[in-house]
Amino acid sequence: MSAAGLTKNQALVFDKLTTAGGPMSAYQILDNLRDDGFRAPLQVYRALDKLVADGLVHKLESLNAFVACAHPEEKCGSHGLTAFAICNSCGNVFEFHHHGLEHDLEHFLGAKGFKPEKTVVEIRGKCANCA
Amino acid sequence: MSAAGLTKNQALVFDKLTTAGGPMSAYQILDNLRDDGFRAPLQVYRALDKLVADGLVHKLESLNAFVACAHPEEKCGSHGLTAFAICNSCGNVFEFHHHGLEHDLEHFLGAKGFKPEKTVVEIRGKCANCA
DNA sequence: CTCAGATATGTTATATTGTTACAATATTGA
DNA sequence: TCAATATTGTAACAATATAACATATCTGAG
């Protein structure tokens, strides 16, 4: 399916991530799109850049991997900071949003004159199934 | 100087990071320790593994870099979640701790049965000097 | 002391992640 | 139509990290 306004490569990458339902590295995506004509990492990274900029995909910094947004219909970022709980056992990623967190951080950092642009919150641990 | 209980390589890496006063990539550390006999990345990564495990050094996931703990005297982790404000302009890193944040996250995730093991909080933005 | 186990270090090669530079193609609108 | 723009293709490379194995050093039991 894939959201509107995406180019062919962007749609391919987005579909692959959405179908996977979990995080994939750029090179996993590349390997999975060989049959669709993908040959070089740049094809993946360029698509990811756009998808991340649009909030359709998130980068997991502690994993160097990418995951489809859990609710691409709403503009991600409009409902508080985006955070991820990542299970170290099964690899499942749970995306959530937390206004309190965002307010706390803004208040704390605002007092120091720091202007946040992008906030990374990733909690690594064990999910309910693996605990 | 360097804390007690460190081996030669660990002390060299720790001193280098402490002296730098800011984040360094593993390969920057390697290059800076050539004169001390460092030849291969593994020498750096092994030292970093120990230093990070001991809480003397933190890894900045969004930067793939490492920084000396701002207060190695106290065991890091005993005073709330460790977080970093990272200036996108000057590269300065401000380490801070926030109990509220930690409680919020624990409460929120605990309700979902998720057991946190390590939490990454990195706020990228502009510091007071660069804003 | 001494020597065996454990720890730390050294070295080479390789895997993984990400970017630069440039060429070709496709799209769009005046 | 055709020129400007956006997108895609390709090759080479840079940066980050680990695997596998060899050597050296340290430490404690005998």
Side-chain angles (χ1 to χ4, degrees):
Chain A
M1 266 266 27
S2 55
L6 296 182
T7 66
K8 187 181 69 161
N9 285 2
Q10 289 160 13
L12 284 167
V13 169
F14 182 61
D15 283 357
K16 194 56 80 176
L17 273 175
T18 302
T19 303
M24 296 180 79
S25 76
Y27 279 75
Q28 282 177 322
I29 296 170
L30 174 57
D31 287 341
N32 271 270
L33 288 175
R34 298 269 178 204
D35 293 346
D36 298 279
F38 274 52
R39 302 300 206 78
L42 207 51
Q43 297 175 286
V44 176
Y45 282 110
R46 284 200 278 229
L48 286 171
D49 280 351
K50 176 62 156 51
L51 294 168
V52 168
D54 286 3
L56 294 174
V57 164
H58 302 295
K59 174 166 190 180
L60 302 174
E61 298 287 353
S62 70
L63 234 40
N64 292 322
F66 300 84
V67 68
C69 181
H71 37 53
E73 57 286 354
E74 322 157 40
K75 277 312 234 184
C76 219
S78 65
H79 35 49
L81 173 159
T82 302
F84 304 90
I86 302 169
C87 180
N88 286 328
S89 292
C90 66
N92 271 353
V93 173
F94 170 62
E95 177 182 342
F96 64 99
H97 299 268
H98 201 297
H99 279 288
L101 227 63
E102 191 171 36
H103 292 158
D104 281 0
L105 281 176
E106 273 177 7
H107 180 259
F108 186 88
L109 291 174
K112 303 240 182 307
F114 191 93
K115 301 267 180 293
E117 287 165 4
K118 189 196 174 192
T119 297
V120 175
V121 177
E122 298 175 17
I123 300 93
R124 311 286 303 260
K126 291 240 186 308
C127 73
N129 288 337
C130 296
Chain B
M1 269 258 25
S2 57
L6 296 183
T7 66
K8 186 181 69 161
N9 285 1
Q10 289 159 12
L12 284 167
V13 170
F14 182 60
D15 283 357
K16 193 58 79 176
L17 272 176
T18 302
T19 303
M24 297 179 79
S25 77
Y27 280 73
Q28 282 177 322
I29 295 170
L30 174 57
D31 287 341
N32 271 269
L33 288 175
R34 298 268 179 206
D35 293 346
D36 299 279
F38 275 52
R39 303 300 205 79
L42 209 51
Q43 296 175 285
V44 176
Y45 282 109
R46 283 201 279 232
L48 286 171
D49 280 350
K50 177 63 156 50
L51 294 169
V52 168
D54 285 3
L56 295 174
V57 165
H58 302 294
K59 175 167 190 180
L60 301 175
E61 298 286 353
S62 69
L63 235 41
N64 292 321
F66 300 84
V67 68
C69 181
H71 37 53
E73 57 286 353
E74 323 156 39
K75 278 311 233 186
C76 219
S78 66
H79 34 51
L81 174 158
T82 302
F84 304 90
I86 302 169
C87 180
N88 286 329
S89 292
C90 66
N92 271 353
V93 172
F94 171 63
E95 176 181 341
F96 63 98
H97 299 269
H98 201 297
H99 279 288
L101 227 63
E102 190 170 37
H103 292 158
D104 281 1
L105 281 175
E106 272 177 7
H107 180 260
F108 186 87
L109 291 174
K112 304 239 181 311
F114 191 93
K115 300 268 182 291
E117 287 165 4
K118 189 198 174 189
T119 297
V120 175
V121 177
E122 298 175 17
I123 301 94
R124 310 287 301 264
K126 290 242 186 308
C127 74
N129 288 336
C130 296

